[in-house]
Amino acid sequence: MDVHLRRLRAFVTVAEELHFTRAAAKLFVAQQSLSKQIADLESEVGTPLFERTSRRVDLTPAGEVFLAAAREALALIDRGVEEARNVGRGRHATLRVGFVAGAALELTTHILGRFTDRFPHTRVELREFGLADPTAGLAAAETDVAFIRLPCTTQGLVVHPLFTEPCVVGVSTAHPLSGRDRVRVEDLVDQPIAIGRTDDAVWRAFWTLGHRPGAERPAHLVETTSQSEEMEVVAAGMACCLTPAAALRYSPHPGIRFLRIEDHPGSVVAVAHRDHARGPLVSGFVEAAAAVREREQRTVRAIEDAGLS
């Protein structure tokens, strides 16, 4: 089936406006011409995409499904055209890569290296995001692809997991639990917990023990704005913090001990992108990440076993 891009754009505009007159004005075409484009598209697809009455226009269930595919196709074409024009003008295409603290740990440089080897004329812009945005810029479309840590709110995102990392709890060296090598969740439920300031309820629940079935919100949370601030809060004995096991390697602190949590699920590190942003560069980055994960199995196993001995 050969669906014309003009008909796809006409369909998306009508779907967004749900009004043929407004959609025609937005597209600078006659309403009769727009109606014919939609009719031709419905004929090509083989099913009605809109329900029309004298008073309103609505998408059919088939139209709802087709709208998602149409948006994705148009976004891919538009991004490809933009990248081709940039290269043709002697400009480098740009991929904006967001990440939260730690990115993909020891896999990060391998993934970036593999991507730049395959796309040597692409400029990679790296940007770190703080605790306030677990999506590393994807939610606000500030980045094209990102290393994120789950669980967090992923509505509208496509997520490609890389590995699952154990969680540990950081406590002050003066804390009563600091003499132990491991703890259970029940040992922590009455403790003050440090948590980054964010509106992401899924993220907050996981890192404050609130994700458990029937769990109540901890009695005392200490809000922080950065990872370094969180470490100082813990070292001062003001709170403990749940954190990935990589903290043992990446965030050692003389005033903090990190203890294994025996019955807390791990945190998944993933590459993610917006649902309608699957251009060649984003796809290439996802492929590079998957290839590195398969190639570096020993490193992945070491990450997934960290903090468990």
Side-chain angles (χ1 to χ4, degrees), residues 76-272:
L76 181 61
I77 290 294
D78 290 344
R79 183 64 186 268
V81 169
E82 180 185 357
E83 292 171 358
R85 285 175 175 169
N86 285 336
V87 172
R89 294 167 181 167
R91 301 174 184 171
H92 288 298
T94 299
L95 182 70
R96 302 170 300 168
V97 180
F99 63 97
V100 293
L105 304 179
E106 286 84 355
L107 298 188
T108 307
T109 55
H110 295 297
I111 293 170
L112 293 173
R114 186 178 180 93
F115 175 80
T116 54
D117 284 345
R118 183 179 172 189
F119 296 89
H121 299 297
T122 298
R123 182 177 64 218
V124 176
E125 292 183 356
L126 294 174
R127 180 178 173 188
E128 182 176 8
F129 287 78
L131 301 176
D133 184 6
T135 72
L138 292 176
E142 297 177 42
T143 54
D144 303 309
V145 66
F147 295 111
I148 66 172
R149 185 174 286 279
L150 305 175
C152 66
T153 299
T154 57
Q155 183 177 2
L157 304 183
V158 179
V159 176
H160 307 270
L162 296 177
F163 52 80
T164 301
E165 185 182 11
C167 295
V168 297
V169 60
V171 299
S172 165
T173 52
H175 194 282
L177 294 174
S178 66
R180 299 167 59 171
D181 293 325
R182 60 190 66 193
V183 295
R184 297 182 63 83
V185 167
E186 64 185 23
D187 299 318
L188 304 173
V189 292
D190 294 327
Q191 299 292 325
I193 295 178
I195 181 67
R197 289 187 177 92
T198 177
D199 294 329
D200 192 320
V202 177
W203 173 277
R204 289 176 66 89
F206 184 82
W207 296 108
T208 59
L209 305 175
H211 67 289
R212 298 165 296 126
E216 296 182 1
R217 175 174 173 166
H220 183 44
L221 297 179
V222 178
E223 303 274 349
T224 61
T225 58
S226 69
Q227 187 179 33
S228 58
E229 180 181 320
E230 186 170 276
M231 291 298 101
E232 295 306 322
V233 164
V234 173
M238 298 167 61
C240 60
C241 70
L242 277 68
T243 189
L248 282 75
R249 309 188 302 283
Y250 286 80
S251 305
H253 192 294
I256 298 176
R257 280 211 66 203
F258 294 102
L259 317 175
R260 171 187 171 184
I261 309 175
E262 292 183 337
D263 54 346
H264 192 279
S267 172
V268 175
V269 170
V271 170

